[in-house]
Amino acid sequence: MLRRFVTAFAAVLVVLAVAACQDELPTVPAGPAISWSTAPTSDEGYLAVMAAVRTIDPCAIIPRKELTAIGTVVKVEARSTDTCEATLGSAEFGKSTILRWSLGVSRDPVEGSDTMEPPARIGHATMVVDREADAAEQGSMTRTCMAIGQFPATVLLNVNVVTPADQLPCALAKKVMPNALDALRTAPAAGTSPDTPKTVLSGADPCEILDSLGTTTPTSKHYLFGCVFQYKGSDIDLQYAYEGELIATGGTPLVEVNGHRGYDRRSTTETYWYSVVVGPAFGTADPKTTMGRQLPVARLMGRDPEVLQEVLRHVAELFPAS
């Protein structure tokens, strides 16, 4: 069952910015036209779909016009490179309605389960939704429901809804999904929504690093904003994401490359966690949290610290100097 990614894609590959800085962004070369109604027949076609989805603006999939029809918009923000979240009605936990939607790509078809309604068709897409009766937890202040829509082209859209306990989140998820899938088909470019920031990670392919390292990885190890590969005998997991300043800079300073500072965020296990801040902060810090503004970061995980630090340096060099 696919719960990890939810995706969108372009009928014609969108020309988008891979941010060199917040103001000037070099365009991403346009790719071949891709059909929404048919699956890619080759690895190259699948990777082209993934490249197209990276250029899509997640917050534009459910714009504020759609959100205001549900309730008063308190906040809309890009939670990560592929995810947007809206808080409606109230900022207070247990009283607010929260929609979080994500883009993704997967060759595996979405499937139902014992806790989900049978798959339904919305145009070319297939949708599965949690059963409303399973959305509530005894004694909880909230109810939660997930819906997934997938086009034959392998693009996914995941919509997660949290409502107060006396409301019906699955009904809301089913209500927003058709328009969201229609919006997805238009492949809105990053920056279409005023709530989506332009950053150095906009449209960026984490597997681009493979050329610099002189290595490759199977297509199955390419993800929307992640890449898993081997380098010098070590398994490396690279992810591009947004993090609050406190988290992004909370480790021990490790290196500085191109003006980008890397941090050692090693856990207590044998696995090392390193990260590097690759661009300037954006957005406004939430006064109710201590996380600070958002930062674009590259996170790396592996078991050989020397190899991991070498890869971190190569990753930092991909991005314009700060």
Side-chain angles (χ1 to χ4, degrees):
M1 172 68 223
L2 292 169
R3 290 176 174 259
R4 191 172 173 189
F5 295 104
V6 185
T7 54
F9 104 37
V12 177
L13 209 69
V14 183
V15 176
L16 179 70
V18 177
C21 68
Q22 294 288 65
D23 299 317
E24 295 183 11
L25 306 173
T27 56
V28 175
I34 306 168
S35 170
W36 284 95
S37 59
T38 58
T41 57
S42 65
D43 286 350
E44 291 76 12
Y46 177 67
L47 294 178
V49 170
M50 194 174 292
V53 175
R54 288 191 191 98
T55 70
I56 292 175
D57 184 329
C59 290
I61 302 304
I62 307 180
R64 284 182 176 251
K65 180 180 178 181
E66 297 284 337
L67 295 170
T68 54
I70 301 170
T72 302
V73 176
V74 176
K75 179 173 60 175
V76 180
E77 60 182 343
R79 299 296 295 173
S80 195
T81 45
D82 57 3
T83 303
C84 192
E85 181 178 285
T87 302
L88 309 175
S90 173
E92 186 176 345
F93 177 76
K95 295 183 179 181
S96 59
T97 294
I98 299 173
L99 280 76
R100 177 179 287 201
W101 59 97
S102 306
L103 309 178
V105 182
S106 176
R107 282 174 160 169
D108 297 328
V110 295
E111 298 175 351
S113 68
D114 292 342
T115 62
M116 305 190 87
E117 296 183 5
R121 297 288 295 180
I122 301 179
H124 291 302
T126 299
M127 179 184 71
V128 292
V129 186
D130 287 337
R131 295 184 188 276
E132 198 76 74
D134 297 312
E137 295 183 14
Q138 189 172 2
S140 175
M141 297 174 62
T142 62
R143 294 166 62 95
T144 302
C145 186
M146 182 185 68
I148 302 173
Q150 184 181 36
F151 287 95
T154 69
V155 178
L156 295 166
L157 175 63
N158 179 295
V159 177
N160 212 39
V161 180
V162 180
T163 66
D166 62 348
Q167 296 182 21
L168 302 176
C170 293
L172 179 54
K174 287 189 285 187
K175 180 180 179 180
V176 303
M177 185 63 84
N179 285 347
L181 291 173
D182 283 345
L184 182 55
R185 290 175 65 99
T186 69
T192 300
S193 168
D195 299 305
T196 301
K198 291 182 181 179
T199 78
V200 292
L201 297 183
S202 299
D205 178 2
C207 281
E208 179 186 356
I209 191 62
L210 300 179
D211 289 340
S212 299
L213 298 175
T215 188
T216 60
T217 197
T219 302
S220 61
K221 300 296 184 181
H222 289 246
Y223 302 99
L224 198 56
F225 288 100
C227 189
V228 178
F229 56 93
Q230 279 201 340
Y231 181 62
K232 294 187 175 180
S234 181
D235 291 326
I236 307 293
D237 187 338
L238 169 63
Q239 300 172 0
Y240 288 168
Y242 299 150
E243 293 182 338
E245 287 176 301
L246 183 64
I247 296 175
T249 62
T252 303
L254 185 66
V255 295
E256 187 166 322
V257 179
N258 232 10
H260 307 305
R261 178 159 292 181
Y263 297 88
D264 182 348
R265 293 159 58 170
R266 185 176 62 178
S267 68
T268 57
T269 68
E270 295 179 353
T271 300
Y272 289 77
W273 299 82
Y274 290 168
S275 69
V276 57
V277 176
V278 294
F282 61 90
T284 303
D286 188 339
K288 294 184 179 180
T289 74
T290 57
M291 294 297 103
R293 301 173 70 199
Q294 295 278 85
L295 284 168
V297 301
R299 300 188 297 231
L300 297 99
M301 180 182 72
R303 293 199 169 188
D304 187 325
E306 291 186 7
V307 171
L308 205 61
Q309 187 171 150
E310 181 182 344
V311 174
L312 182 145
R313 289 178 177 275
H314 279 277
V315 171
E317 289 169 354
L318 289 176
F319 296 92
S322 295

